[in-house]
Amino acid sequence: MADEILFPSQAWVDEYCKKLSESPDYNKAGKGWKDPIMFTISDPDSLSERPEFNSFTLYLKDGRCEKCEMVRDENSSAPFVLTATYANWKKIIDGKINPTQAMLTGQLKVKGNMALILRYASAAIAMVKVAQMIPTRYIS
Amino acid sequence: MRGFWNRLLFVDLSHREIWTDSLSEDLWERYIGGVGLGAYLFTKYGGNFDPFSDKNPIIITTGPLVGTAFPNSGRHEVVSRSPLTTFLGESNSGGRFGFELKRSGLDGIILTGISDVPVSIFIDDGEFRIEETPELWGLDIYQTQDAIRKRGNYSVMCIGPAGEKRVLFSSIMNDEGRAAGRTGLGAVMGSKRVKAIAVHGKKIVEVNDRIEYNRAVKEASKSIMESPVVSGFRSYGSMIWMDGGIGFNDIPANYFMDRSFQFDDLSSIKFHEEYQVSSYNCAACVIGCGRTVRYNGLTVDGPEYETVAALGPLLGNTSFQNIVEWNHEINRLGMDTISTGVIISAIRHFLKAGLIDDAAIGSYYSDNFSGINRMIQDIAMRNGPGNAIADGLYRYATSLGIDRDLIATVKGLEIPLHDPRAFKAQGIVYATSTRGADHMQGDMYQIDIGGDHPDIGIVAGDRFSIDSDERVRTIIRTQDFRQVYNSLIICYYAQPDPDLIARAYSLATGFSASIRDLVDRGSEIINLKRKINEDLGLRPEEDWLPVLVRKPIEGEPQESGTTDEELISVLQRYYRLRGWGKYRPPQR
Ligand code: SF4
């Protein structure tokens, strides 16, 4: 599996952003969404290999990913911040927990308008499906 | 024993007598309070009598945590024989009434008999009296509460014109628009000619260990506030489920027929952006899901999730303006918004499907729903075609020969707005609940999302899987746990760690109990309610769910449906695990 890309890494996030824009499912389900979302790993120190960054932001607009940004500044924020442990991110990406379910049970913590993000449940599912298309290597 | 006064108020309306009495300590411990206590008192003072007879009591209870600072405990429970289902009726409500009643030095009220003229009952910090109040008869619930509040700083529970006219799904309202809405207990109060009960209390409820209790209260409040959904409830009220539910296909549309509805039109976000909305809390609540909204120059009660879903997608209406107006009218007249919304949606569907051919009924429905307000008035006042509809969906539809499988009721109670095809275990709760189709007797939709409690045997599972002992055990335990909430009484939106609930109960009462002990008592309460229902004529085949809400919706997974065979198999397991004997399905 030489082509596997480490999650998280610049290459993974670039690929993800590109694939989101190419996904007809996401293009449709994400229509009307306007805000950047920051994705954060809450427990980088507990991992066997320290990732190069804990957070990245996707600039999502109307079903497309306009750009992505690695976040290295601890104090950065975005209108929406989704935070989970590395293990929970893995579960979400692997489809083991539904993202809406993860938000409602606190496995995925939401900063921002909860109702708005719940409303885009089908976009969240489309985003998971897109993530699953990337051959991913996880930190063990 | 602390946490109770051991003082119940008895009101014999036929003889205008009023007195207090106590119970032995073991009964307070065994039945917890709230619905458990109410069911026990029904076995003592009620029975197989016509719901509108002088012998059918109305029992109003509080619980051991009510009147204290325990978060979200400001509630009361109403129990009686339901004229809608003909079985045991129960409904609990927030606001301040339960809190004030408990702080007036009473644990509950038992009304028996029938008054010859309209009366109201006044409770002033432990002093009580019956007063003739014919001038209140005919007033809506807001006018009634305003009139009584002019006489003192009261929390008021009352009925509206619908209760007076014995509409079988009329509610008992309190503190503006809070409602003991389900099972038609407003009609029982109307039959007794009791318009209102007004209460004011300022006694401090003694608990067994004040210092530790206060600590438990603090911990519970913190634990509730840490829940991820609480911020959503605070910002958007229960209506947030209009946004959260769509991800699970939990919101039914067009009388449970499909999902073809513009859900964006009724988003809780849109509501809060477009209307002037304010929030409020029930007594002791740390969340505050209550909403008021400015409408036509008035401040009126804002609709909750169930109401928006019933009067919106279920009916095929996309206008918030309509929902705010109808919600206000239904509340004002004193009816259950769930039952009313389901009935109006059902009749619309029956008309469209050609199952009803009646011009007078048809005139209520137009493309812009302009006749619905008139329909609501006619139902509440039992005018013209509204009279037959006022007897509830089951009676109305069966009188027209409509197939039972198309009628959205269980035991005569209209099905609420969590779709059994989204969470199949919720359907089993509807089928088996003692008060009929009911999401407040077991919240499987929350459990299967992941809000489970494995320590007490409540384990989240696949929302499309129900037919195993493991799943049925979770359904049973969830219902038992809900009895604990409905007995203490706590609002289910507040979900502190269950051990904290047991700790607070033990510290308040001095009865030592673990959460497992309390859930076991919850199970006994269900068995007691079941026994009462059997005495009232319940047969196993009434534990059932119509095909309407079991047939998969086109385009949704096949496994979201529940066949007859699967339902029978699950109910057989349920009966075996409950020790209820042999399950018998309905004859087709
Ligand atoms: S969460 Fe809502 S219903 Fe529950 S106690 Fe608070 S205000 Fe009342």
Side-chain angles (χ1 to χ4, degrees):
Chain A
M1 298 291 251
D3 293 328
E4 282 187 341
I5 314 174
L6 180 71
F7 173 83
S9 62
Q10 171 99 46
W12 195 95
V13 177
D14 286 344
E15 182 68 6
Y16 188 40
C17 187
K18 184 170 138 259
K19 280 203 153 42
L20 279 172
S21 293
E22 288 167 0
S23 156
D25 279 353
Y26 180 68
N27 300 156
K28 192 165 159 239
K31 254 215 165 22
W33 183 271
K34 301 210 163 16
D35 295 303
I37 302 180
M38 184 163 117
F39 299 79
T40 296
I41 296 161
S42 60
D43 58 348
D45 297 339
S46 67
L47 302 176
S48 61
E49 177 186 334
R50 207 183 148 96
E52 52 174 310
F53 50 85
N54 307 342
S55 306
F56 60 90
T57 301
L58 299 182
Y59 289 79
L60 302 169
K61 199 165 179 200
D62 269 329
R64 313 198 84 80
C65 177
E66 295 191 321
K67 65 170 179 165
C68 55
E69 207 171 74
M70 311 315 124
V71 179
R72 291 188 170 85
D73 176 359
E74 299 268 303
N75 299 319
S76 293
S77 195
F80 287 86
V81 182
L82 302 181
T83 307
T85 60
Y86 192 83
N88 280 345
W89 278 122
K90 184 170 182 302
K91 276 196 219 159
I92 293 166
I93 296 171
D94 287 348
K96 300 239 164 65
I97 14 172
N98 162 320
T100 308
Q101 218 156 322
M103 287 183 232
L104 290 169
T105 52
Q107 296 174 78
L108 178 55
K109 295 206 166 45
V110 180
K111 208 177 120 235
N113 185 333
M114 179 85 154
L116 187 63
I117 206 150
L118 288 176
R119 166 144 291 271
Y120 279 83
S122 49
I125 290 167
M127 286 179 81
V128 168
K129 291 221 171 98
V130 172
Q132 286 169 355
M133 288 158 61
I134 303 173
T136 301
R137 177 171 77 80
Y138 292 104
I139 300 168
S140 56
Chain B
M1 172 181 82
R2 294 278 172 86
F4 303 101
W5 303 104
N6 198 0
R7 195 163 184 244
L8 293 165
L9 183 69
F10 289 79
V11 183
D12 176 347
L13 295 153
S14 301
H15 302 98
R16 289 285 168 90
E17 284 172 9
I18 189 160
W19 70 96
T20 61
D21 206 347
S22 59
L23 297 174
S24 66
E25 199 168 302
D26 60 308
L27 294 171
W28 293 103
E29 182 171 13
R30 183 159 173 201
Y31 296 109
I32 307 176
V35 75
L37 177 66
Y40 165 73
L41 292 169
F42 187 88
T43 63
K44 217 168 155 198
Y45 301 104
N48 195 352
F49 305 114
D50 185 296
F52 296 145
S53 85
D54 58 343
K55 293 196 179 63
N56 185 34
I58 292 185
I59 298 160
I60 301 156
T61 56
T62 61
L65 305 187
V66 178
T68 75
F70 192 83
N72 297 54
S73 65
R75 300 185 81 78
H76 64 278
E77 178 82 36
V78 187
V79 171
S80 184
R81 184 175 192 181
S82 160
L84 183 65
T85 67
T86 73
F87 303 120
L88 189 72
E90 57 174 285
S91 200
N92 77 46
S93 176
R96 286 195 69 77
F97 185 87
F99 185 83
E100 294 275 346
L101 179 63
K102 184 77 177 284
R103 288 173 68 114
S104 76
L106 292 168
D107 297 297
I109 307 172
I110 295 127
L111 304 175
T112 55
I114 291 181
S115 173
D116 48 358
V117 291
V119 293
S120 296
I121 296 156
F122 290 82
I123 301 168
D124 284 286
D125 210 27
E127 300 288 310
F128 27 78
R129 64 188 188 279
I130 308 173
E131 273 188 32
E132 291 188 4
T133 51
E135 73 283 3
L136 300 180
W137 206 248
L139 298 187
D140 72 35
I141 65 120
Y142 296 110
Q143 292 166 332
T144 305
Q145 294 180 37
D146 282 348
I148 290 184
R149 277 196 302 258
K150 282 195 183 117
R151 301 169 58 168
N153 183 21
Y154 291 114
S155 165
V156 182
M157 83 151 32
C158 66
I159 55 167
E164 296 172 12
K165 301 272 181 201
R166 302 186 190 181
V167 172
L168 297 191
F169 44 94
S170 52
S171 52
I172 303 179
M173 308 295 291
N174 64 283
D175 302 295
E176 304 294 325
R178 287 285 164 189
R182 307 237 67 198
T183 68
L185 303 183
V188 182
M189 196 154 144
S191 74
K192 298 194 171 313
R193 295 196 186 85
V194 175
K195 180 68 179 176
I197 304 177
V199 58
H200 173 57
K202 46 183 193 301
K203 296 188 198 314
I204 302 294
V205 177
E206 290 295 331
V207 294
N208 199 52
D209 182 337
R210 173 66 62 190
I211 293 173
E212 284 304 315
Y213 184 73
N214 287 349
R215 208 189 301 268
V217 165
K218 237 189 205 159
E219 272 181 56
S221 304
K222 187 164 170 277
S223 162
I224 291 165
M225 298 308 284
E226 277 165 2
S227 152
V229 280
V230 159
S231 70
F233 279 131
R234 289 168 80 101
S235 307
Y236 295 100
S238 64
M239 202 196 281
I240 192 173
W241 198 243
M242 286 302 295
D243 300 284
I246 46 178
F248 300 98
N249 290 331
D250 191 39
I251 312 175
N254 304 310
Y255 189 54
F256 299 98
M257 287 291 158
D258 53 43
R259 218 76 66 188
S260 54
F261 185 78
Q262 278 299 326
F263 287 99
D264 284 348
D265 291 336
L266 297 181
S267 155
S268 66
I269 307 164
K270 186 172 176 231
F271 183 72
H272 284 74
E273 278 170 2
E274 292 183 0
Y275 288 81
Q276 228 183 305
V277 184
S278 310
S279 62
Y280 70 89
N281 301 42
C282 299
C285 169
V286 294
I287 301 174
C289 79
R291 290 293 181 273
T292 57
V293 54
R294 291 292 292 170
Y295 161 77
N296 270 356
L298 295 170
T299 298
V300 300
D301 284 292
E304 299 182 47
Y305 162 71
E306 294 280 337
T307 313
V308 177
L311 297 172
L314 201 71
L315 178 59
N317 157 56
T318 54
S319 156
F320 262 131
Q321 184 77 11
N322 284 341
I323 294 172
V324 170
E325 176 190 327
W326 300 334
N327 178 56
H328 177 62
E329 282 305 302
I330 297 168
N331 279 341
R332 189 179 73 76
L333 296 163
M335 296 192 288
D336 177 27
T337 54
I338 299 178
S339 289
T340 310
V342 172
I343 294 169
I344 293 174
S345 305
I347 297 175
R348 178 172 186 254
H349 172 74
F350 297 154
L351 280 164
K352 281 174 115 180
L355 299 169
I356 300 181
D357 182 14
D358 181 327
I361 296 278
S363 76
Y364 291 134
Y365 296 89
S366 61
D367 286 345
N368 63 359
F369 296 101
S370 60
I372 298 295
N373 196 320
R374 182 167 53 89
M375 184 180 189
I376 292 167
Q377 314 291 325
D378 283 351
I379 296 171
M381 304 310 283
R382 284 190 173 275
N383 280 338
N387 187 35
I389 304 170
D391 285 339
L393 179 59
Y394 187 78
R395 285 178 180 81
Y396 178 71
T398 49
S399 75
L400 298 172
I402 290 170
D403 183 344
R404 251 189 89 160
D405 272 327
L406 268 180
I407 306 175
T409 59
V410 175
K411 302 185 182 84
L413 186 67
E414 289 77 12
I415 294 178
L417 285 300
H418 293 287
D419 198 316
R421 290 157 296 193
F423 298 96
K424 284 170 66 168
Q426 193 62 54
I428 303 304
V429 172
Y430 293 165
T432 53
S433 153
T434 52
R435 81 167 178 179
D438 189 1
H439 62 299
M440 309 282 278
Q441 300 288 322
D443 310 67
M444 282 306 302
Y445 73 100
Q446 292 189 29
I447 304 304
D448 282 346
I449 287 172
D452 61 352
H453 309 287
D455 291 353
I456 47 173
I458 296 174
V459 185
D462 177 345
R463 63 196 175 103
F464 297 140
S465 139
I466 42 174
D467 197 7
S468 69
D469 278 9
E470 189 195 348
R471 289 289 283 151
V472 173
R473 270 196 200 99
T474 279
I475 296 170
I476 288 175
R477 258 346 225 178
T478 301
Q479 291 173 310
D480 296 347
F481 185 48
R482 198 35 144 102
Q483 304 311 302
V484 177
Y485 262 77
N486 293 352
S487 296
L488 285 169
I489 312 165
I490 317 172
C491 165
Y492 199 73
Y493 291 152
Q495 303 207 358
D497 178 343
D499 286 328
L500 266 174
I501 295 176
R503 201 161 100 212
Y505 169 80
S506 303
L507 291 165
T509 58
F511 300 140
S512 161
S514 68
I515 189 66
R516 281 181 172 272
D517 297 334
L518 288 177
V519 177
D520 288 347
R521 272 180 238 167
S523 174
E524 282 178 32
I525 291 166
I526 290 210
N527 286 334
L528 175 67
K529 295 199 292 184
R530 170 77 186 188
K531 171 78 180 54
I532 292 170
N533 275 354
E534 282 170 358
D535 293 345
L536 297 178
L538 180 91
R539 290 160 300 139
E541 52 266 41
E542 321 240 13
D543 289 330
W544 190 246
L545 200 58
V547 172
L548 175 71
V549 295
R550 290 194 278 119
K551 205 171 73 186
I553 284 176
E554 217 186 302
E556 292 181 7
Q558 206 52 34
E559 67 266 30
S560 63
T562 306
T563 61
D564 280 3
E565 292 69 33
E566 191 181 18
L567 181 61
I568 292 167
S569 166
V570 174
L571 290 170
Q572 282 168 342
R573 284 180 201 279
Y574 185 98
Y575 268 55
R576 175 169 50 76
L577 293 169
R578 276 262 186 230
W580 281 2
K582 196 169 158 39
Y583 175 69
R584 257 194 339 264
Q587 296 290 323
R588 296 249 173 195

